[in-house]
Amino acid sequence: MSSSIIHLLPDHVANQIAAGEVVQRPASVVKELLENSVDAGATSIKLLIKDAGKTLIQVIDNGKGMNEIDARMCFERHATSKISMAEDLFNLQTKGFRGEALASIAAIAHVELKTKTEDAELGTHILMEGSQLVSQNVIVTPKGTSFLVKNLFYNIPARRKFLKSDQVELKHIVDEFERVCLAHPQIAFSLINNGSEMFVLPASNLRQRIVNVFGNKIADKLVPVEETTEILSISGFIAKPEYAKKTRGEQFFFVNDRFVKSSYLHHAVSSAFEGLLKEGVHPSYFLYLTLPPQSIDINIHPTKTEVKFDDEQALYAILRATVKHSLGQFQVVPSLDFQADMSLEVPYKLNGTESVTPTISVDANFNPFHDEPSETFQSKVLGNSHFEKSAKDFGKTSPSNTVFNSRNHVSPKWETLYAELPNNTDKILSANHLIEQDFQSVVMFENQHQDVVQSKSFQIHKKYIVCPIKTGMVVIEQRRAHQRILYENYLNRFNQNYNPSQQLLFPIRLYYSAYELEMLSQLQDYLEKIGINITEFSEDKIVVSGIPVGMNESEVSMVIDDLLSDWQSDIPKEEEHIRDRMAKSFAQSLAVKTGTILSEKEQEDLMNRLFACKTPNISPFQKPTYITMSLEELDKKFMI
Ligand code: ADP
Ligand code: MG
C-alpha cells in the first residue's frame, strides 16, 4: 500500500497563503489596523508611516484594548471577537469579522503589539515574527492599542519586489486613510508620514471632515444630500459641478459606514449629473447609504470593498432621484447651464471668473469690427502671453522660416480702407462692404478677427491654420503646434541656470488637500526651476509669489491642478522623466484650445515658433502637428 500524501499545512504556511489575499501592499495593512481601531471604539487614532509603509506602519488608538489572553489570541487565524455564529454574518455592525487580518500580517512582517484595557493596571507587550511568538511581557502603556508593523514582506522577497514606488504606495495608503476618516468623522485621526504631519483631523461633523481632508477649496462647493425611504436612507454631500475633477479621485460611497465600490451606484449618481458636466470631468461625491444589514452582502470580496444589494434597481432609482433633487434644490442647475455654454470657448478654469462676460460666448452676433469683445477674449485666453511675451524667446530665433514665403501682412488696399475710417468700430463697414473688398476671405472666415482678412495665413474652423508655402500649402493644427512649442520651451527652462519669473504684486493662495500638498513639496524644486515660486506651504494651501514669464496669473491654478491630476498615482523616479512629464503637462494645460480664434499676428507667431522647434512635426504626445500638400497633389485633385 502506498503511503498517503495529503497532510495539513503548518499554520505559518497557511497564514502566508491567507496573507496573499488580505495583504497586497502596505495600504492593506493600514486599512485592517485602522478598522480594528474603529471597531475597538477608539475616539482618537494615529497612523504613522515610514517609507510609504515599506519600513514601518504604526497605528495607535485609545480604544478598549485587549487583555493578556486576547492579545495573544488575536494573532491566531479565525480569531475574532466580532462574530461567534454564522447568523452574525447577516447582522454585521463591525468592520472586521473574518479574524484573519492580524494572523496574515504577523505571517509576513515583524509585529509589535502594546495594549491595555481600561481596568487593567499593566498592559501586554508582544513581539511576533513570521507567525512566531518572539516574546511576551507586561508593560506600562496607556489604555488602548498600538500595532507596529515593520519590514513588510521581509520573508517573501518576490512580493516586496513587486511593491511600487514610494509615491504610489503612499497614494494607496492615503486613499485607505481617507476612506476610514470619511466614514467616521466623529473620530479624530492623524497621519504622520516620515515624521511630518500630513493630516490632523479633529473629531467633527461630516462637512468639516470633508473640508479638512480635501482642503478649503471644496468648502463652499458642497451640496447636502438627504433622503429617507423605506428601503434605505441616504445622506452626505455632492460637490457642485463646477468643482468636478479630471480624475475620479473624490468619489465615495459608504454603505453602513463601510467604504464600497460600486460602478452601478456610481452610474446612478453620474446620470443625475448628466448635462451639467463637461466632457472628461467627474463629479465628486460623499454619499452614505444606510440599509438594514440583512439586505446587503459585503462578503463577496476578500478585501470587502464590493457589495451586493437585495434590491439594486430600487436603490439606483432612489439614489439618482435624490442627487437630482439636491442639484435642483440648491439651484445648481440653472447657473450651470450657463457655464456649460461658456466652456465651448473658454478654458474651464476661466469659467465663472468675472472678467469673462456672457456676451463673449454668444458668438452669433459677433461684429468683426467691434474691437473690444474680441480683445478681451483674446487677452483672456492667450493672455498676450504665450504668443506675445514668449514670442521674444522664440519668434526672434526663427528668421521667418525658409518653409514660408516672405509674407506681407497688410496689403496697401487694406491700409487705405483703414485710413478712411479712423474709428474702425464704425458701423458703415458692414460685412457686405467687406465682401466687395475681399470676397474670398469673407467666405472663408465667419466670425473672424479682423486681422485675419488680409493675411496670407488663414484659420479655419478655429482649429487649423492654412498657409501657402513655396511647394504648395501647409495645414497646422493649432493646439498641437502650440503644445510642441510650449513643451520645448519648458524643457529648455529646466536646462537653463536662470529662469526669470514674474514676481506677483499680490501672491496667489491656492488650496490643496494634504496629499496634494505633499506631492507639491516633492515637486517644489522643479516648479522653482521653471519659474513657479512657492513661498509658503501651510496645512491647507500654498502661496505662489512668482510665475514663469509667459504664464498668466489665472492659469497657475489650472496648470498645478492638471499636474496633480496627471500625477495622481505615479511621479516617475528619474529626474529626466519628471522634467519631461512636467513639460508635457504644462504644454497640455497651456496650449491654445481648439475653438480659439487666433489673430494674424498670433498665427504668424505660432508658425514661426513651431518651425523654430527642434522637432516641429510632432506634438509632445506623438501626434502630427502639421501636414503639407504639394501643388502637384492639389493639381491632381482637379485633373478628373
Ligand atoms: P477581525 O477584525 O476580523 O475580528 P483581526 O485579525 O483584524 O480580525 O483582529 C482579531 C481580533 O483582535 C479582533 O476581533 C479584536 O478582538 C482584536 N483586536 C484587533 N485590533 C484591536 C484593537 N486595535 N483594539 C482592540 N482589539 C483589537
Ligand atoms: Mg480586523
Side-chain angles (χ1 to χ4, degrees):
M1 201 178 90
S2 61
S3 57
S4 57
I5 50 171
I6 299 177
H7 57 90
L8 283 174
L9 286 173
D11 266 1
H12 69 278
V13 179
N15 285 340
Q16 262 197 27
I17 294 170
E21 246 192 275
V22 180
V23 186
Q24 280 106 25
R25 53 180 6 127
S28 330
V29 174
V30 167
K31 172 180 189 283
E32 295 296 339
L33 296 183
L34 290 177
E35 289 189 347
N36 280 346
S37 295
V38 170
D39 284 345
T43 57
S44 169
I45 301 173
K46 201 167 168 180
L47 167 63
L48 296 100
I49 49 176
K50 260 197 204 134
D51 306 323
K54 292 173 188 169
T55 319
L56 179 146
I57 299 165
Q58 184 174 19
V59 172
I60 305 167
D61 70 47
N62 63 354
K64 65 177 184 234
M66 286 178 268
N67 70 19
E68 205 184 325
I69 296 165
D70 287 345
R72 180 65 197 86
M73 267 294 279
C74 73
F75 293 109
E76 295 296 325
R77 207 139 62 94
H78 306 306
T80 179
S81 57
K82 299 170 192 173
I83 56 171
S84 46
M85 308 177 286
E87 287 76 59
D88 292 346
L89 272 175
F90 302 99
N91 194 14
L92 280 171
Q93 308 289 346
T94 54
K95 308 270 165 187
F97 56 87
R98 294 161 166 265
E100 56 186 7
L102 292 176
S104 300
I105 295 166
I108 48 154
H110 298 151
V111 180
E112 179 179 359
L113 162 64
K114 291 178 196 168
T115 185
K116 189 182 91 72
T117 55
E118 174 94 73
D119 40 3
E121 223 153 89
L122 287 171
T124 308
H125 182 203
I126 287 181
L127 288 178
M128 299 285 295
E129 207 177 299
S131 296
Q132 305 298 317
L133 177 73
V134 176
S135 70
Q136 175 164 359
N137 297 302
V138 285
I139 191 178
V140 177
T141 185
K143 175 208 163 199
T145 303
S146 153
F147 274 103
L148 192 148
V149 177
K150 283 194 293 195
N151 309 325
L152 192 64
F153 298 131
Y154 79 99
N155 52 357
I156 319 181
R159 292 295 292 277
R160 206 174 159 84
K161 227 173 54 205
F162 273 109
L163 293 178
K164 299 268 168 40
S165 69
D166 281 7
Q167 276 90 5
V168 174
E169 296 300 341
L170 178 64
K171 170 73 179 142
H172 284 289
I173 289 175
V174 169
D175 283 348
E176 294 293 356
F177 179 80
E178 286 178 355
R179 291 165 185 175
V180 179
C181 292
L182 289 169
H184 301 281
Q186 72 288 359
I187 301 176
F189 286 94
S190 59
L191 166 49
I192 289 132
N193 173 35
N194 289 334
S196 64
E197 283 177 351
M198 221 174 144
F199 290 89
V200 178
L201 311 170
S204 63
N205 62 19
L206 178 60
R207 181 190 277 271
Q208 196 53 46
R209 174 57 51 93
I210 294 172
V211 171
N212 287 341
V213 172
F214 294 104
N216 268 337
K217 65 182 168 182
I218 200 172
D220 55 351
K221 302 285 186 286
L222 293 171
V223 175
V225 176
E226 202 70 64
E227 183 64 83
T228 308
T229 70
E230 275 176 15
I231 306 177
L232 84 163
S233 65
I234 302 172
S235 67
F237 293 91
I238 47 178
K240 291 179 186 171
E242 71 218 50
Y243 182 81
K245 296 236 154 177
K246 282 192 186 163
T247 47
R248 289 179 52 169
E250 295 166 15
Q251 301 181 334
F252 295 89
F253 280 119
F254 299 90
V255 172
N256 296 353
D257 291 339
R258 187 191 297 278
F259 172 82
V260 300
K261 281 184 190 150
S262 163
S263 47
Y264 191 67
L265 295 186
H266 169 73
H267 193 269
V269 176
S270 297
S271 72
F273 272 86
E274 219 162 62
L276 298 175
L277 295 176
K278 277 165 278 143
E279 214 176 294
V281 299
H282 305 278
S284 295
Y285 52 80
F286 313 85
L287 295 170
Y288 297 71
L289 317 188
T290 312
L291 293 90
Q294 309 84 288
S295 71
I296 52 174
D297 179 4
I298 39 146
N299 199 13
I300 57 168
H301 193 270
T303 54
K304 295 170 283 181
T305 50
E306 273 154 33
V307 67
K308 230 168 53 192
F309 302 99
D310 278 355
D311 194 352
E312 273 195 334
Q313 279 178 0
L315 222 88
Y316 184 101
I318 296 170
L319 187 58
R320 182 168 185 270
T322 307
V323 172
K324 264 196 151 177
H325 179 71
S326 285
L327 284 167
Q329 200 178 18
F330 289 86
Q331 287 168 350
V332 175
V333 180
S335 71
L336 266 150
D337 278 341
F338 165 68
Q339 294 213 334
D341 279 342
M342 299 281 295
S343 70
L344 294 176
E345 298 215 344
V346 183
Y348 75 102
K349 273 285 156 176
L350 302 174
N351 282 349
T353 55
E354 279 169 24
S355 42
V356 183
T357 54
T359 45
I360 296 161
S361 67
V362 186
D363 224 55
N365 301 323
F366 180 64
N367 177 346
F369 297 98
H370 194 287
D371 245 345
E372 252 207 303
S374 81
E375 261 187 18
T376 321
F377 175 70
Q378 292 287 325
S379 51
K380 198 70 203 159
V381 173
L382 300 176
N384 294 330
S385 58
H386 313 309
F387 288 101
E388 315 252 300
K389 287 183 201 146
S390 325
K392 284 181 216 134
D393 316 334
F394 278 83
K396 269 187 199 159
T397 54
S398 80
S400 213
N401 214 286
T402 42
V403 185
F404 297 100
N405 291 324
S406 67
R407 291 179 308 120
N408 194 0
H409 308 305
V410 184
S411 78
K413 201 163 88 185
W414 179 250
E415 264 174 357
T416 333
L417 186 64
Y418 214 73
E420 285 166 10
L421 288 163
N423 176 1
N424 66 350
T425 58
D426 202 315
K427 296 286 184 300
I428 299 168
L429 197 57
S430 68
N432 287 341
H433 194 110
L434 243 185
I435 290 172
E436 283 165 35
Q437 295 302 319
D438 192 336
F439 179 75
Q440 200 190 3
S441 326
V442 171
V443 174
M444 286 180 75
F445 294 91
E446 287 168 1
N447 292 340
Q448 77 284 58
H449 194 278
Q450 67 176 36
D451 291 347
V452 176
V453 177
Q454 293 288 314
S455 106
K456 286 202 178 151
S457 66
F458 304 103
Q459 192 191 20
I460 55 173
H461 291 282
K462 301 176 199 162
K463 184 174 184 187
Y464 298 107
I465 297 165
V466 185
C467 186
I469 53 174
K470 264 190 196 134
T471 54
M473 69 172 187
V474 62
V475 183
I476 296 169
E477 218 268 31
Q478 65 187 41
R479 178 167 162 73
R480 290 183 192 167
H482 198 201
Q483 283 176 348
R484 163 55 59 184
I485 294 163
L486 290 166
Y487 171 67
E488 292 198 4
N489 183 347
Y490 279 101
L491 269 190
N492 281 340
R493 292 186 197 208
F494 283 121
N495 296 324
Q496 279 155 12
N497 288 329
Y498 174 67
N499 284 301
S501 74
Q502 310 162 233
Q503 290 307 301
L504 299 171
L505 200 53
F506 301 104
I508 309 170
R509 282 192 182 78
L510 299 171
Y511 291 88
Y512 293 104
S513 69
Y515 179 70
E516 291 168 330
L517 286 168
E518 165 67 24
M519 275 179 75
L520 284 173
S521 75
Q522 286 175 35
L523 295 172
Q524 188 177 9
D525 289 348
Y526 294 92
L527 291 166
E528 189 78 26
K529 198 90 181 97
I530 52 175
I532 296 186
N533 299 137
I534 302 178
T535 41
E536 208 183 304
F537 270 90
S538 58
E539 63 184 28
D540 64 342
K541 63 174 179 300
I542 58 170
V543 175
V544 176
S545 58
I547 58 177
V549 173
M551 191 184 283
N552 260 349
E553 272 185 65
S554 58
E555 290 166 334
V556 185
S557 82
M558 174 179 77
V559 293
I560 296 181
D561 279 4
D562 286 353
L563 191 70
L564 290 172
S565 59
D566 277 2
W567 284 7
Q568 275 279 311
S569 54
D570 64 326
I571 295 183
K573 283 204 187 90
E574 301 78 16
E575 196 169 303
E576 226 164 90
H577 287 179
I578 297 186
R579 293 170 175 198
D580 183 71
R581 284 279 300 278
M582 240 165 129
K584 278 183 181 146
S585 181
F586 275 58
Q588 191 160 34
S589 314
L590 293 171
V592 62
K593 303 276 181 290
T594 298
T596 307
I597 299 165
L598 300 183
S599 70
E600 178 203 9
K601 174 84 176 66
E602 288 161 347
Q603 294 174 36
E604 186 196 345
D605 277 345
L606 188 77
M607 287 187 290
N608 285 340
R609 291 166 62 200
L610 176 65
F611 289 102
C613 282
K614 274 198 203 132
T615 319
N617 56 326
I618 45 166
S619 81
F621 307 99
Q622 306 303 314
K623 302 267 172 54
T625 50
Y626 67 89
I627 53 151
T628 54
M629 192 177 251
S630 66
L631 265 181
E632 291 96 83
E633 283 173 81
L634 270 174
D635 289 344
K636 257 190 222 152
K637 294 208 181 283
F638 288 98
M639 296 273 249
I640 318 143

